[in-house]
């Protein structure tokens, strides 16, 4: 069967866009083919810096013939109806229609419309131009004289040529004829920009790939990645070193070259005094080069690996020398940043107020940077104050959380006060991705406790579902405080995630809190810390506004507007009084409580997502939370109960008890509609049960009397496996009861008593979970 080969040849496509663009091209073209009934055997898309290519194999020569019967009006219908039918069906007269008889409706006209399948080459000629004109590039441009016209073609970079051929392996291929903004389709491509820039005639996919290979173009991005990785490892091994793997950089570099040539460069050993992470960030960001390390020590070596798009006549010496010059210049900058950040700031006298407010030691460089961050008044969020004010909140919360997570409160508070101190450093200013890590190094250099230094780096973690969760108690306290402050703050100002929009990464923060709690086995409810943090955010946000007014008053006084300044100052004095602050807090109480409940519900949603990703059923979370979901914020307890419930329901006892519960709940629901909700509350009459003389009824009453307190005691002791075992004891009695006992007995007293027994069963299971929320 024939194949389609399509290539869109242009100027360099940004590496970050290539892989998605190739997949978009494949989807858009193949979806359009299938819509026209042109089913194919397989398709694969490719991308290089200068081309997008698509190969669709096993297409038919033309689409399937279509036979359609279109029903018309009855015989003898008005002429207008008949003419409308003829026009819609494409018939010249009624002689071309067929009359069919219906015993009930009478005779009517039917038009049989037969359409031959469209030739595939014609369909492609319509599909490809439409795809090109509407291609979803993240950014695109117009070029040349035609760009003056608003309707001219937009492409990521100037599009030079379109190759489009169609044909089978055994026959000569055809050029699919079409034109897009003056670019006529053909069978020509070009090879490497420098090594083989001339035109290359192509027939089908096999000779296309081979021709490009001869013209120094590796079409498949994954193969380019493999070449780069293999050659880089081999060069490193030959030098007695090992490659520092970097999948993100590998993907990017493979999108920058069509014919990868891997080289080896070096720089002066003196630069190795800079932290390895900074060296790697410098070389990676500026030159897109890989770094190497000494396998014996694990430390970085003074070598790097650039990847060229050229086979240079000198073996790449000039290329590596050029890269080396740039690397040395960038490392010189990094060395300056490293040295500057460890020295004292020149304006220490202006930082005393901030240092006193935050309890910082201006004799230490990192403390100086934190004081500077506060002094500068860098805004975290317009409604949530500055970074300095936020650090105060985090420090207070970290101290409060420390005993809960087993951390020293003084160390947790100290770590929180230094957590953001590296933000104004020169190194983090140049390489934002090093925030936290550089803070840890500077903390270690000034002699901070090891747990404090670790927390400065680790308080950002976990950054995602696969990121490591810190285990040091001080790190856990600060990480929780940082994330909870973020969540509380944005909930307090009503900036919650909506739909797919989450500009402040609040879902990630909530998942981080859950993982920190669950993976570190932290017990306890969050209501106390959260409520106090809501209070800190509320009053803090109010005083942020007041501080803005205060600065305005000072500015007005400086310009001589003393009367207006006096009014503002009087307002400030009244607002900053303790009574005003208390009144403000009291006024925000109801809103704070509602925000707390919404935030806990948000945690529940994130917990469901996490457990579902781990293979758990989200309905079990609903069952464990039950009706009291809005206040259940002991995340570890919820997780353990869900796990225990899941294991129980996988057993035969669990499955049978769930079925018995569902049956009991359905009977109760139906009967409560007749007798009223709560009609069967309370304990069943044991004397009435004994008088009925049914062994199965007595057995269920006894089983409930024994199992219910056992389950309640086990839940109180957080022994969820024990609680499930207690419920499992009910299974034989429940099965026998439904097998032998008639619940809706003709005797009203027996009926009501047996319904009370079923209600006791329903209440007994609620000690562990709300079985009514479990699917199945």
């Amino acid at each position: 069967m024939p194949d389609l080969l399509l290539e869109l040849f242009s100027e360099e496509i940004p590496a970050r866009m290539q892989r998605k663009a190739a997949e978009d091209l494949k989807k858009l073209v193949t979806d359009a083919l299938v819509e026209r009934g042109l089913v194919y055997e397989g398709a694969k898309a490719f991308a290089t810096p200068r081309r997008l290519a698509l190969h669709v194999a096993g297409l038919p020569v033309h689409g399937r013939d279509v036979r359609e019967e279109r029903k018309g009006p009855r015989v003898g219908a008005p002429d207008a109806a008949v003419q409308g039918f003829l026009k819609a069906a494409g018939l010249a007269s009624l002689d071309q229609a067929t009359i069919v008889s219906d015993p009930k409706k009478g005779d009517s006209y039917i038009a049989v419309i037969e359409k031959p399948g469209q030739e595939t080459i014609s369909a492609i000629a319509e599909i490809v131009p439409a795809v090109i004109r509407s291609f979803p590039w993240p950014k695109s441009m117009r070029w040349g004289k035609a760009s003056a016209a608003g309707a001219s073609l937009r492409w990521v970079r100037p599009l030079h040529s379109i190759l489009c051929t169609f044909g089978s392996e055994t026959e000569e291929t055809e050029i699919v004829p079409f034109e897009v903004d003056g670019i006529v389709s053909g069978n020509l491509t070009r090879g490497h920009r420098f090594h083989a820039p001339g035109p290359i005639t192509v027939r089908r996919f096999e000779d296309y790939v081979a021709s490009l290979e001869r013209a120094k173009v590796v079409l498949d991005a994954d193969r380019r990645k493999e070449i780069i990785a293999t050659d880089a490892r081999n060069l490193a091994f030959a030098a007695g070193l090992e490659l520092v793997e970097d999948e993100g950089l590998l993907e990017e570099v493979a999108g920058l070259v069509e014919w990868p040539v891997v080289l080896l460069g070096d720089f002066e050993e003196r630069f190795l005094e800079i932290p390895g992470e900074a060296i790697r960030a410098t070389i990676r960001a500026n030159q897109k080069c890989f770094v190497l390390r000494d396998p014996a020590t694990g430390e970085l070596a003074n070598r790097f690996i650039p990847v060229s798009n050229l086979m240079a006549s000198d073996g790449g010496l000039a290329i590596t020398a050029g890269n080396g010059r740039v690397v040395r210049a960038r490392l010189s900058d990094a060395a300056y940043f490293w040295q500057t950040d460890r020295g004292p700031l020149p304006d220490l006298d202006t930082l005393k107020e901030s240092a006193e407010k935050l309890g910082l030691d201006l004799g230490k460089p990192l403390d100086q940077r934190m004081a500077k961050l506060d002094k500068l008044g860098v805004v975290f969020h317009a409604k949530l104050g500055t970074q300095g004010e936020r650090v105060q909140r985090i420090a207070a919360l970290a101290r409060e959380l420390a005993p809960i997570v087993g951390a020293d409160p003084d160390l947790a508070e100290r770590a929180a006060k230094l957590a953001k101190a590296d933000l104004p450093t020169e190194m983090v200013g140049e390489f934002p991705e090093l925030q936290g890590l550089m803070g840890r190094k500077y903390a270690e250099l000034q002699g901070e406790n090891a747990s404090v230094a670790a927390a400065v780096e680790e308080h950002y973690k976990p950054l995602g579902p696969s990121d490591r969760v810190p285990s040091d108690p001080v790190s856990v306290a600060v990480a929780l405080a940082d994330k909870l402050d973020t969540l509380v703050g944005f909930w307090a100002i009503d900036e919650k995630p909506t739909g797919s929009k989450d500009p402040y990464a609040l879902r990630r923060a909530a998942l981080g809190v859950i993982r920190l709690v669950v993976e570190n086995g932290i017990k306890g409810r969050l209501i106390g810390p959260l409520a106090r943090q809501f209070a800190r955010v509320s009053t803090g946000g109010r005083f942020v506004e007041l501080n803005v007014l205060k600065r305005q008053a000072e500015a007005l006084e400086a310009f001589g507007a003393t009367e207006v300044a006096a009014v503002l100052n009087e307002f400030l004095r009244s607002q900053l009084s303790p009574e005003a602050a208390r009144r403000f807090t009291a006024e925000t109480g109801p809103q704070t409580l509602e925000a707390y409940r919404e935030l806990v519900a948000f945690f529940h949603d994130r917990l469901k997502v996490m457990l579902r990703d781990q293979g758990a059923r989200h309905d079990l979370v609903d069952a464990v939370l039950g009706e009291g979901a809005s206040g259940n914020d002991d995340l570890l307890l919820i997780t353990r109960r869900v796990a225990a419930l899941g294991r129980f329901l996988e057993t035969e006892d669990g499955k049978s008890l769930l079925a018995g519960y569902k049956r009991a709940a359905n009977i109760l629901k139906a009967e409560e509609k007749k007798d009223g909700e709560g009609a069967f509350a309370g304990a069943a009459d044991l004397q009435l049960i004994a008088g009925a003389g049914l062994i199965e009824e007595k057995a269920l009453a006894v089983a409930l009397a024994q199992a219910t307190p056992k389950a309640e005691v086990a839940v109180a002791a957080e022994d969820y496996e024990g609680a499930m075992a207690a419920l499992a004891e009910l299974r034989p009695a429940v099965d026998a009861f439904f097998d032998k006992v008639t619940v809706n007995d003709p005797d009203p007293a027996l009926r009501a008593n047996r319904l009370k027994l079923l209600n006791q069963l329903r209440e007994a299971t609620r000690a562990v979970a709300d079985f009514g929320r479990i699917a199945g």
Side-chain angles (χ1 to χ4, degrees):
M1 295 180 74
D3 293 356
L4 164 67
L5 172 62
L6 172 65
E7 181 202 71
L8 306 173
F9 185 81
S10 68
E11 294 295 328
E12 275 70 6
I13 304 168
R16 67 183 184 279
M17 299 182 187
Q18 290 172 22
R19 195 170 288 271
K20 185 178 185 303
E23 291 306 311
D24 286 342
L25 179 64
K26 174 183 169 182
K27 185 177 189 307
L28 291 170
V29 172
T30 56
D31 284 358
L33 289 169
V34 171
E35 282 176 9
R36 295 168 184 253
L38 300 171
V39 181
Y40 58 95
E41 293 178 359
K44 188 170 183 181
F46 305 88
T48 79
R50 302 178 71 204
R51 68 199 80 220
L52 293 179
L54 174 66
H55 174 227
V56 183
L59 280 165
V61 176
H62 56 75
R64 291 189 297 270
D65 295 341
V66 177
R67 187 178 188 277
E68 176 188 354
E69 290 187 357
R70 182 171 296 182
K71 190 174 180 180
R74 68 181 186 280
V75 175
D79 186 59
V82 172
Q83 294 303 319
F85 164 65
L86 293 175
K87 184 177 180 181
L91 303 181
S93 68
L94 287 176
D95 295 337
Q96 295 176 305
T98 303
I99 298 175
V100 293
S101 299
D102 187 312
K104 295 181 179 179
K105 299 182 179 180
D107 296 343
S108 59
Y109 294 108
I110 292 287
V112 178
I113 303 170
E114 294 184 352
K115 294 181 180 179
Q118 183 183 17
E119 288 191 358
T120 302
I121 196 167
S122 300
I124 295 169
E126 296 171 1
I127 290 168
V128 174
V131 167
I132 293 173
R133 290 191 177 95
S134 62
F135 201 80
W137 291 109
K139 290 185 178 181
S140 58
M141 61 179 290
R142 297 188 180 96
W143 61 93
K145 293 181 179 179
S147 63
S152 64
L153 177 65
R154 298 188 69 95
W155 201 246
V156 64
R157 296 290 184 271
L159 184 64
H160 291 316
S161 65
I162 302 170
L163 180 153
C164 193
T165 64
F166 180 72
S168 65
E169 295 180 5
T170 57
E171 300 176 359
E172 192 63 31
T173 57
E174 295 182 65
I175 295 173
V176 180
F178 60 85
E179 179 219 355
V180 180
D181 272 33
I183 304 172
V184 180
S185 60
N187 61 354
L188 297 179
T189 186
R190 293 179 182 273
H192 191 282
R193 182 183 288 276
F194 302 110
H195 294 305
I200 302 169
T201 303
V202 175
R203 292 177 299 169
R204 55 181 58 85
F205 181 69
E206 288 73 17
D207 68 277
Y208 171 70
V209 175
S211 298
L212 286 180
E213 193 87 16
R214 288 191 296 270
K216 300 296 183 287
V217 174
V218 178
L219 181 65
D220 191 341
D222 289 330
R223 185 161 166 257
R224 295 198 300 275
K225 287 174 64 175
E226 183 181 350
I227 291 169
I228 294 168
T230 301
D231 289 355
R233 292 187 192 113
N234 290 341
L235 275 178
F237 180 77
L241 303 170
E242 66 180 12
L243 179 70
V244 176
E245 303 286 346
D246 190 332
E247 178 62 27
L249 180 60
L250 182 60
E251 176 76 16
E252 183 177 8
V253 171
L256 297 175
V257 297
E258 290 194 319
W259 188 256
V261 178
V262 181
L263 306 169
L264 182 64
D266 60 16
F267 56 86
E268 290 84 347
E269 286 191 16
R270 64 185 175 87
F271 289 122
L272 294 178
E273 295 177 1
I274 305 169
E277 295 83 359
I279 293 174
R280 182 180 178 187
T282 300
I283 293 176
R284 186 188 196 278
N286 292 293
Q287 290 303 103
K288 312 300 180 190
C289 295
F290 298 88
V291 294
L292 306 176
R293 64 179 162 228
D294 186 339
T297 64
E299 300 294 328
L300 287 191
N302 61 323
R303 300 290 185 89
F304 64 93
I305 287 186
V307 180
S308 172
N309 194 34
L310 284 172
M311 294 189 304
S313 57
D314 63 354
L317 293 176
I319 294 172
T320 54
N323 276 277
R325 284 192 295 272
V326 178
V327 165
R328 290 183 192 94
R330 296 292 181 247
L331 289 179
S332 295
D333 292 342
Y336 170 77
F337 299 150
W338 174 239
Q339 182 179 4
T340 302
D341 288 339
R342 290 179 293 162
L345 290 172
D347 54 350
L348 286 182
D349 290 342
T350 66
L351 305 177
K352 289 180 181 179
E353 183 180 347
S354 292
E356 290 175 4
K357 179 173 62 177
L358 293 168
L360 300 170
D361 181 358
L362 288 182
K364 297 181 176 181
L366 197 56
D367 291 60
Q368 295 173 19
R369 270 68 187 178
M370 184 59 238
K372 182 177 181 179
L373 184 65
D374 179 70
K375 173 68 177 177
L376 291 172
V378 177
V379 174
F380 169 66
H381 186 280
K383 296 180 181 179
L384 293 174
T386 65
Q387 286 283 8
E389 289 164 332
R390 181 166 185 255
V391 166
Q392 286 180 284
R393 296 197 303 266
I394 294 173
L397 182 56
R399 187 174 189 87
E400 185 176 346
L401 292 170
I404 300 174
V405 304
D408 182 304
D410 291 336
L411 294 181
E413 184 177 10
R414 174 67 175 165
K417 288 179 178 179
L418 296 179
K420 309 298 180 183
D422 64 351
L423 294 180
T425 61
E426 299 285 346
M427 191 70 83
V428 172
E430 182 70 14
F431 303 108
E433 66 271 24
L434 296 181
Q435 65 185 29
L437 188 145
M438 294 310 302
R440 177 176 189 161
K441 292 191 176 295
Y442 295 140
E444 289 171 342
L445 285 173
Q446 69 179 34
E448 296 294 334
N449 181 282
S451 293
V452 171
V456 172
E457 177 184 7
E458 294 179 341
H459 80 282
Y460 291 107
K461 294 181 176 294
L463 290 172
S466 60
D467 194 20
R468 180 180 65 84
V469 173
S471 57
D472 184 292
V474 176
S475 296
V476 173
V478 182
L480 280 173
D482 181 58
K483 292 168 179 57
L484 288 174
D485 178 75
T486 298
L487 289 161
V488 166
F490 285 106
W491 246 254
I493 63 173
D494 199 26
E495 290 279 358
K496 310 177 190 75
T498 57
S500 60
K501 294 182 179 179
D502 186 11
Y504 304 111
L506 300 182
R507 293 187 180 95
R508 186 176 72 184
L511 181 59
V513 170
I514 293 168
R515 291 189 61 202
L516 284 161
V517 168
V518 172
E519 295 183 30
N520 285 291
I522 299 170
K523 298 179 181 179
R525 297 193 61 188
L526 294 173
I527 184 168
L530 281 178
R532 284 184 282 278
Q533 199 66 5
F534 268 112
R536 291 186 188 107
V537 168
S538 297
T539 54
R542 178 60 170 166
F543 291 130
V544 167
E545 296 172 10
L546 297 174
N547 286 334
V548 170
L549 290 172
K550 184 178 180 181
R551 286 194 291 272
Q552 289 176 345
E554 291 170 351
L556 287 167
E557 285 180 332
F559 280 98
T562 53
E563 292 182 7
V564 179
V567 172
L568 276 174
N569 280 321
E570 181 59 33
F571 173 74
L572 288 168
R573 278 192 292 273
S574 66
Q575 293 297 303
L576 287 170
S577 67
E579 180 57 32
R582 281 194 297 272
R583 187 169 64 251
F584 174 76
T585 304
E587 288 171 357
T588 59
Q591 294 91 331
T592 299
L593 180 60
E594 183 58 32
Y596 160 76
R597 288 173 176 163
E598 291 180 1
L599 180 54
V600 172
F602 185 68
F603 278 125
H604 292 165
D605 290 339
R606 293 298 92 201
L607 183 59
K608 290 177 192 177
V609 171
M610 186 186 84
L611 292 174
R612 185 180 63 222
D613 291 343
Q614 293 175 354
R617 291 163 43 183
H618 71 275
D619 60 324
L620 301 189
V621 182
D622 290 330
V624 165
L625 292 171
E627 293 181 3
S630 63
N632 197 339
D633 57 11
D634 190 329
L635 302 175
L636 180 64
L637 179 147
I638 295 170
T639 305
R640 288 180 174 174
R641 290 179 71 171
V642 168
L645 181 60
R647 288 190 293 269
F648 176 61
L649 292 176
E650 289 174 358
T651 67
E652 287 304 314
D653 285 342
K655 293 174 184 175
S656 180
L657 182 62
L658 177 61
Y661 168 87
K662 295 282 188 184
R663 187 172 178 182
N666 288 335
I667 292 172
L668 284 166
K669 184 178 179 180
E671 298 308 309
E672 283 172 341
K673 286 182 179 178
K674 303 174 187 175
D675 295 39
E677 190 173 347
F680 310 113
D685 187 335
L686 297 180
Q687 289 184 347
L688 200 56
I689 291 173
L694 293 177
I695 297 172
E696 294 79 12
E697 189 174 6
K698 292 178 184 176
L700 179 57
V702 171
L704 283 168
Q706 293 174 343
T708 302
K710 283 184 184 178
E712 290 174 349
V713 170
V715 168
E718 298 184 9
D719 177 13
Y720 304 117
E721 300 292 349
M724 301 300 169
L727 289 183
E729 296 175 5
L730 293 171
R731 177 200 171 183
V734 171
D735 290 347
F737 178 86
F738 282 119
D739 189 40
K740 298 295 184 181
V741 178
T742 301
V743 176
N744 286 318
D745 193 272
D747 183 338
L750 285 178
R751 168 185 171 270
N753 205 48
R754 287 168 183 171
L755 288 169
K756 284 186 176 183
L757 202 57
L758 293 186
N759 188 60
Q760 284 181 247
L761 171 62
R762 181 169 64 181
E763 294 303 316
T765 59
R766 282 178 177 167
V768 174
D770 185 350
F771 276 44
R773 295 172 181 253
I774 301 174

